[in-house]
Structures are given as C-alpha cells and as structure tokens.
Amino acid sequence: QVQLVESGGGLVQAGGSLRLSCVVSGLTFGSYAMGWFRQAPGKEREFVALISWSGGATDYRDSVKGRLTISRDNAKSTVYLQMNSLKPEDTAIYYCASDSRIRWPPGFDYWGQGTQVTVSS
C-alpha cells in the first residue's frame, strides 16, 4: 500500500519561511518523479513544483519561481518543499504526489492527505 504523509505546514507571517516534508512508503521512491500541488479555498488544485527521480530536473509554476525550492532525499524516501518569502496568496492546502511509472513528463497517481499553509499579511 502506497502512503504519502505530508508535514510542516502552519501559520506564518508574510515574508516568512516554512519547509514541507513528504515521507513516502510502499513504492521504490527513487524510481519515480514527485510533485507538490496546492488548493486554495474555492479554487481548483494547481501544480506547484516537480522533481525527477534523480533530482536532476525540476520545474515550477511561474508565481513561485525564486521563492520555493523542491528537493528530495532518496535515502529517506522524502521530498521537501522549502518555501521562502511567503505571500498571503500562497495560502492553501499543499499536497505531495508521486508518479507510478518511469516517464517524462511525469503523471501523478498517488496523493497525500495534505498539509495546511496559512500566510498572514
């Protein structure tokens, strides 16, 4: 059974930082691309960032480039999202997701339960 468990969310003031973590079990973590998505109240879920199985390739939505950084530690089966210079518009539930096949661009078939990030102005 594949499980993705996010942590690290919370309440932070604008300009502050948070680091989200997602621990994955039940699959060969180092074989698959990983991603972070978010969903704000009343809005659809949107892509935030992705990272290849080796960590050698990353991609971000334009609005977070230069502020958010995705990384992974395959030895710990964990993917991270370092969030700096946070803005109120970053407020959302953040989800990590995993691919289930070796492909590029990746698809995302497994999802975590989400962690709330709230940025106050």
Side-chain angles (χ1 to χ4, degrees):
Q1 181 181 358
V2 178
Q3 287 189 314
L4 290 75
V5 180
E6 301 99 333
S7 62
L11 173 64
V12 63
Q13 289 187 330
S17 297
L18 285 173
R19 188 174 84 152
L20 307 184
S21 300
C22 175
V23 179
V24 181
S25 60
L27 54 75
T28 306
F29 180 78
S31 295
Y32 306 115
M34 295 292 300
W36 285 96
F37 292 75
R38 67 187 182 188
Q39 187 168 19
K43 296 187 177 181
E44 293 187 353
R45 187 176 298 185
E46 64 183 20
F47 164 77
V48 175
L50 64 82
I51 187 167
S52 64
W53 44 88
S54 68
T58 58
D59 193 21
Y60 299 88
R61 70 179 300 105
D62 286 345
S63 62
V64 307
K65 287 180 180 178
R67 301 188 299 117
L68 275 57
T69 303
I70 190 171
S71 62
R72 67 190 296 159
D73 185 336
N74 287 348
K76 296 182 178 180
S77 297
T78 302
V79 61
Y80 304 97
L81 187 67
Q82 178 66 43
M83 309 171 70
N84 298 329
S85 302
L86 283 163
K87 303 176 180 181
E89 52 263 44
D90 294 317
T91 295
I93 299 174
Y94 283 72
Y95 300 89
C96 72
S98 173
D99 204 340
S100 63
R101 290 189 281 154
I102 299 172
R103 54 184 166 177
W104 196 263
F108 296 100
D109 305 303
Y110 300 112
W111 295 82
Q113 82 290 349
T115 186
Q116 176 71 48
V117 172
T118 303
V119 184
S120 63
S121 57

